[in-house]
């Protein structure tokens, strides 16, 4: 089992930046891919970005060019740097980790983009 804890959310003005952090603990040796999802009120949870053990990255079209996902295996952490934030980025952001036959979620962190 893997436990995930997110930090770094908050209120930011349009055009601003923030970095989300996720710390993994537990059976981290079995993690294959880590990612960030977001869920806006009334909408489904959507994948924002992911990174595999081989550092292959995926970005949703909505954040391409504005987001960077990175991973620090030594510290068991994954980061999501987001720039040029838009009001439509407002959502709860969840850290996700997957292994061969399991999946874990963090508790989520609120990101609000508003002036």
């Amino acid at each position: 089992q893997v436990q995930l804890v997110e930090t770094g959310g908050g209120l930011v003005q349009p055009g601003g930046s923030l970095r989300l952090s996720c710390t993994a603990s537990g059976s981290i040796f079995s993690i294959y891919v880590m990612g960030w999802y977001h869920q806006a009120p009334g909408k489904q949870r959507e994948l924002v970005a992911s990174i595999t053990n081989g550092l292959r990255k995926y970005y949703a079209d909505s954040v391409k060019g504005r987001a960077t996902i990175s991973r620090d295996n030594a510290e068991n952490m994954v980061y999501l740097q987001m720039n040029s934030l838009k009001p439509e980025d407002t959502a709860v952001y969840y850290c996700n980790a997957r292994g061969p036959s399991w999946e874990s979620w963090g508790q989520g962190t609120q990101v609000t983009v508003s002036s």
Side-chain angles (χ1 to χ4, degrees):
Q1 190 73 358
V2 171
Q3 294 77 45
L4 304 170
V5 177
E6 305 101 334
T7 57
L11 174 65
V12 61
Q13 291 188 339
S17 300
L18 58 71
R19 188 176 81 156
L20 303 179
S21 301
C22 174
T23 304
S25 60
S27 302
I28 57 176
F29 60 89
S30 62
I31 294 175
Y32 171 69
V33 59
M34 296 189 74
W36 289 93
Y37 288 70
H38 69 193
Q39 186 168 21
K43 295 188 177 181
Q44 290 189 329
R45 193 173 296 188
E46 298 177 331
L47 177 62
V48 176
S50 64
I51 183 168
T52 69
N53 283 353
L55 302 183
R56 182 168 18 177
K57 301 177 183 180
Y58 163 86
Y59 295 99
D61 287 342
S62 61
V63 301
K64 277 181 182 176
R66 301 190 297 121
T68 302
I69 189 169
S70 59
R71 188 165 170 174
D72 183 339
N73 289 330
E75 297 294 329
N76 304 320
M77 296 189 73
V78 65
Y79 305 97
L80 182 68
Q81 175 70 41
M82 295 190 67
N83 303 318
S84 302
L85 283 160
K86 305 175 182 180
E88 50 263 43
D89 293 318
T90 295
V92 178
Y93 284 72
Y94 296 91
C95 182
N96 172 273
R98 274 185 277 157
S101 58
W102 57 266
E103 183 175 40
S104 288
W105 294 91
Q107 81 286 354
T109 185
Q110 176 70 46
V111 172
T112 302
V113 183
S114 175
S115 55

